[in-house]
Amino acid sequence: MHDTVLARETRTVVSPSRIELGAGAVGTVGGHAARYGDTALVVATERIFEFHGDTVVDVLDAAGVDAAVYTDVRPDPTVENIEAAYDLYDRRDCDLIVTLGGGSSIDTGKGAGILATNKGSIREFGVDRAGYEGVPEPTPPLIAVNTTAGTGSEATRSVVVSDESTSTKFLIVSANVVPDVAIEDPELTVSLPRSHTAFTGIDALTHAIEAYVSVKSYGVPDGYAEAAMERIARSLPVAWANGDNLSARADVMVGQLQAGQAFTNASVALVHGLARPLGAQLHLPHGLANGLILPYVVDFSAVAAPEKYADIARILGVADADDTTREAADAAVDGVLRLCEDVSLTGYLDSFGEVPPREAYLDVVDDMAQDAIDSGSPANNPRKPTRGELVDLYLTIYDDALAPDSPRRS
């Protein structure tokens, strides 16, 4: 019998109250919105709104719900994005929030919701200042219409915000920001380009792996994580290679939802601790940053949780039942690297991100290491890194994956 934390203490499992899943699910938005009020703040990036905005606004209109549309969301939403979205919510006397897009839109909507029901600036709710569960009051009703297959934000208690004044990202974590309704319609992901299919898919893989090995893991999120890894491993390369394959798109969408449910009920760990500072400094999409870092953290951490990493290797198809636990655990990094290579992850660095010369990178490594520690995420890792080890990991990532002539890029 497996030892379980549930034999010793209570855990709270959070999830959206309702999940609408499958082709055509976007058509349910109006009915849900009408239960909450008659004016919705609709939050999206301009690009996503061009693709799907009319669909959502028409569905709302048919249900008798007016839309106040905010489309200035940045790929990494900023303090200013959240404040501007909340200002529109307030001016239009909105009753609820509908987000359209991936993590950036959802996080902007969550942030605006925090300001709508809580006093203070958004920065005050970061875990480094308010701690975990630092949002006192629930947001207004929130419906998250997902158009990507990676962030899992529609199922989580997390908000990631960029603070451009300090070139850092901060994290807010509270059950009071979990969306009330998650809409998972794979037809909306067909418009996702290959690059972002790769980024969001690897982001979801990272969520699943980190939740699975976290020191806060237990049976419920472990089950979500295992299912997520299996779905992503088999279907992400297919969805990347043929974006019109709706079966693969749907499978990855379910996988990323399960990965979101895994990490919001366990935690993320060292990869995310390293990724937020790296992404902020190099202006990398979050999923790309995660994928650049993930193999090195898997290699670093496997010794501390060999059974878990052996399971990961077997799920990713790089180990079998005949391998010893240690042999399988050591192979997990190969499975991660293969999946990253399948979707040409490092090939997108020329177009997404600003890789500095090594000397300039060295100038910010110490600050990035401190930001990683301050985030709290590395403390959830099975192997606890020292500050020096964080610096070494950042240098390895540069030399092996970021530099133009690095092995993973060449």
Side-chain angles (χ1 to χ4, degrees):
M1 180 180 293
H2 292 291
D3 179 38
T4 172
V5 68
L6 301 179
R8 301 187 300 275
E9 61 186 67
T10 299
R11 293 289 179 91
T12 300
V13 178
V14 301
S15 181
S17 300
R18 184 76 65 88
I19 300 171
E20 301 284 0
L21 181 62
V26 69
T28 68
V29 172
H32 289 296
R35 290 192 291 114
Y36 297 126
D38 56 24
T39 306
L41 173 70
V42 177
V43 178
T45 64
E46 187 173 348
R47 177 177 174 81
I48 289 297
F49 194 81
E50 287 176 0
F51 277 112
H52 305 298
D54 288 345
T55 298
V56 170
V57 170
D58 288 348
V59 168
L60 290 171
D61 183 62
V65 179
D66 291 334
V69 179
Y70 177 80
T71 59
D72 289 336
V73 176
R74 288 269 302 276
D76 292 297
T78 64
V79 170
E80 291 75 19
N81 283 156
I82 288 170
E83 291 173 341
Y86 165 64
D87 182 61
L88 179 59
Y89 179 96
D90 187 51
R91 283 189 287 109
R92 290 289 301 274
D93 196 23
C94 294
D95 308 297
L96 69 144
I97 298 170
V98 177
T99 66
L100 175 63
S104 298
S105 297
I106 297 169
D107 282 355
T108 301
K110 288 177 177 177
I114 291 170
L115 296 181
T117 53
N118 296 272
K119 294 181 179 179
S121 68
I122 195 67
R123 185 65 185 89
E124 293 172 25
F125 299 99
V127 294
D128 56 336
R129 298 187 183 182
Y132 288 85
E133 300 302 329
V135 179
E137 299 297 329
T139 67
L142 178 58
I143 301 171
V145 182
N146 190 22
T147 66
T148 70
T151 68
S153 297
E154 73 281 8
T156 74
R157 62 180 109 196
S158 303
V159 188
V160 180
V161 186
S162 294
D163 185 345
E164 292 190 321
S165 67
T166 57
S167 294
T168 60
K169 293 183 179 182
F170 63 93
L171 176 67
I172 300 169
V173 178
S174 173
N176 282 333
V177 307
V178 178
D180 296 276
V181 181
I183 307 293
E184 308 280 8
D185 189 334
E187 292 181 328
L188 303 187
T189 68
V190 172
S191 62
L192 204 64
R194 270 190 174 181
S195 56
H196 287 71
T197 298
F199 302 157
T200 55
I202 295 298
D203 189 20
L205 177 71
T206 306
H207 291 154
I209 290 175
E210 293 235 275
Y212 195 59
V213 303
S214 162
V215 297
K216 296 181 178 180
S217 67
Y218 63 103
V220 174
D222 277 0
Y224 290 141
E226 289 169 338
M229 285 186 278
E230 184 176 342
R231 290 180 185 278
I232 293 163
R234 74 178 174 225
S235 293
L236 175 60
V238 180
W240 178 83
N242 178 10
D244 292 329
N245 186 322
L246 207 59
S247 293
R249 291 283 197 186
D251 205 32
V252 177
M253 180 164 258
V254 174
Q256 66 86 40
L257 171 66
Q258 292 171 319
Q261 291 173 309
F263 88 80
T264 206
N265 287 297
S267 66
V268 290
L270 179 54
V271 177
H272 277 73
L274 293 169
R276 292 186 201 101
L278 186 72
Q281 289 289 345
L282 275 61
H283 305 291
L284 298 169
H286 177 62
L288 176 55
N290 276 344
L292 293 168
I293 295 165
L294 179 60
Y296 312 103
V297 171
V298 168
D299 188 51
F300 174 82
S301 305
V303 66
E307 293 85 2
K308 283 290 186 78
Y309 283 99
D311 289 343
I312 291 167
R314 293 182 176 115
I315 291 169
L316 297 183
V318 291
D320 56 39
D322 294 332
D323 293 311
T324 67
T325 297
R326 186 58 188 268
E327 288 170 342
D330 289 343
V333 64
D334 297 326
V336 171
L337 282 168
R338 185 173 72 181
L339 196 52
C340 289
E341 290 168 3
D342 282 347
V343 297
S344 298
L345 190 75
T346 57
Y348 295 109
L349 269 169
D350 288 335
S351 301
F352 299 91
E354 301 168 10
V355 179
R358 196 174 192 276
E359 296 75 16
Y361 184 83
L362 289 173
D363 288 341
V364 298
V365 161
D366 284 337
D367 288 341
M368 290 196 298
Q370 187 59 52
D371 288 342
I373 293 169
D374 290 344
S375 75
S377 295
N380 300 325
N381 207 58
R383 178 177 172 181
K384 300 296 185 291
T386 65
R387 184 189 176 96
E389 287 170 332
L390 294 179
V391 170
D392 289 344
L393 281 166
Y394 274 130
L395 295 179
T396 299
I397 291 160
Y398 188 91
D399 292 335
D400 199 57
L402 286 170
D405 58 351
S406 61
R408 283 179 70 189
R409 293 188 70 176
S410 58

